[in-house]
Amino acid sequence: MLNFIITETYSAMSILAANRVAAALINKPDLVMAMPTGGTPVGMLAEMSRMAKEGEADFTKTFSFNIDEYIPLAKDDPQSYYSFLQHHFYQHAHIPTENTFVPDVQAADLTAECIRYEQIIVDHGDFDITILGIGHDGHIGFNEPHATHSSVCHLIDLKTETIEANTRFFASKDDVPKQAITLGMGTILRSKEIVLIANGVSKAAVMKQLYDCTRIDPLFPASFLLLHPNVTVIGDREAASLFNL
Ligand code: F6R
């Protein structure tokens, strides 16, 4: 069973997750991190940025990797996931640009690009810590249902449900990219520590499914986290409203 921590508020969830990163950073100043985007991590990234600004944490020697990126958004496209991390985290934490990584989703050969991105991660000794959000269908990164435990970085067609969930960040549903490059389940599971965060009532059903989960189910990708020895799920009270903890 996964280790769950439930906080009363989104803010407390965010601070706790940021503290996990800061704790790992104390032991390893050149921490190798995998970072998510979306609505959930905004508070955590703000707290990590605050820690950096106020001298509580030094991210200047860390390495940070996007967990996924939409095809075909350029790195500097305001809607790209790289821009998201730049805006919410890197610029505040003064992470050197050369220490930040994202798949080049405009590469001519995207399959070769996936292999290249995976190799960069391996060359950095794999992730010390991976922070994950969770999709309503149980996806982590963009490992959608029908995932396998050993997959590495790969191209993915986003499920209709994921496209609909992400429409809120775009002018219309038609503007939401339909494909992405994502870390594989295997890439994520090689991380030394994994923290999954979830907030809000919209995540209550998937969080209950994760809480009740006792076996691997490729149709529920988050279930693969059961294979990892060091996973902490941090949810706020609303996300945990369908189970007792
Ligand atoms: C994004 C990512 C996704 C999101 C998930 C939840 O980089 O990897 O798995 O974490 O779709 O998104 P939000 O936080 O917007 O609910």
Side-chain angles (χ1 to χ4, degrees):
M1 190 182 179
L2 299 170
N3 176 29
F4 276 71
I5 301 174
I6 305 307
T7 62
E8 287 311 313
T9 63
Y10 172 70
S11 169
M13 178 206 81
S14 303
I15 291 170
L16 201 54
N19 283 346
R20 294 298 283 258
V21 179
L25 191 56
I26 289 172
N27 296 325
K28 192 167 182 280
D30 55 347
L31 199 68
V32 183
M33 312 178 287
M35 284 291 157
T37 59
T40 314
V42 170
M44 177 196 72
L45 296 172
E47 173 63 8
M48 286 161 59
S49 299
R50 185 201 64 74
M51 288 172 162
K53 277 185 186 157
E54 297 183 10
E56 292 174 22
D58 179 2
F59 289 95
T60 57
K61 296 185 186 64
T62 62
F63 299 89
S64 182
F65 289 73
N66 269 86
I67 285 177
D68 35 30
E69 183 59 282
Y70 283 132
I71 297 169
L73 301 188
K75 204 172 163 181
D76 60 356
D77 186 305
Q79 295 279 26
S80 78
Y81 278 170
Y82 183 81
S83 290
F84 176 96
L85 287 182
Q86 179 67 27
H87 174 77
H88 288 282
F89 181 38
Y90 298 158
Q91 62 175 347
H92 310 295
H94 301 294
I95 303 187
T97 304
E98 63 271 23
N99 288 12
T100 63
F101 299 93
V102 67
D104 176 5
V105 291
Q106 298 198 317
D109 183 343
L110 290 174
T111 305
E113 176 56 17
C114 290
I115 294 169
R116 190 190 71 89
Y117 197 59
E118 185 78 20
Q119 190 59 47
I120 300 174
I121 296 163
V122 171
D123 290 347
H124 282 79
D126 288 321
F127 302 123
D128 295 304
I129 188 163
T130 296
I131 308 291
L132 298 171
I134 186 167
H136 298 114
D137 59 359
H139 69 236
I140 54 177
F142 276 141
N143 291 277
E144 298 274 28
H146 300 289
T148 60
H149 76 281
S150 58
S151 67
V152 291
C153 185
H154 60 284
L155 293 175
I156 190 97
D157 292 328
L158 300 177
K159 297 271 186 253
T160 310
E161 192 181 13
T162 302
I163 292 168
E164 279 165 5
N166 290 349
T167 300
R168 69 193 196 278
F169 298 117
F170 291 83
S172 78
K173 188 175 156 187
D174 289 343
D175 293 329
V176 186
K178 309 291 180 283
Q179 285 189 307
I181 288 181
T182 180
L183 300 183
M185 198 62 75
T187 327
I188 292 169
L189 290 174
R190 293 201 312 270
S191 182
K192 294 170 192 70
E193 177 177 3
I194 298 174
V195 177
L196 184 149
I197 51 178
N199 71 286
V201 283
S202 84
K203 296 290 170 69
V206 74
M207 280 286 275
K208 175 168 170 46
Q209 198 176 347
L210 188 59
Y211 186 74
D212 291 341
C213 183
T214 52
R215 62 175 65 173
I216 308 303
D217 177 0
L219 296 180
F220 185 58
S223 66
F224 284 101
L225 295 177
L226 290 169
L227 294 170
H228 195 281
N230 187 6
V231 179
T232 307
V233 180
I234 308 176
D236 73 354
R237 185 60 64 194
E238 289 186 348
S241 53
L242 295 180
F243 55 93
N244 294 320
L245 194 72

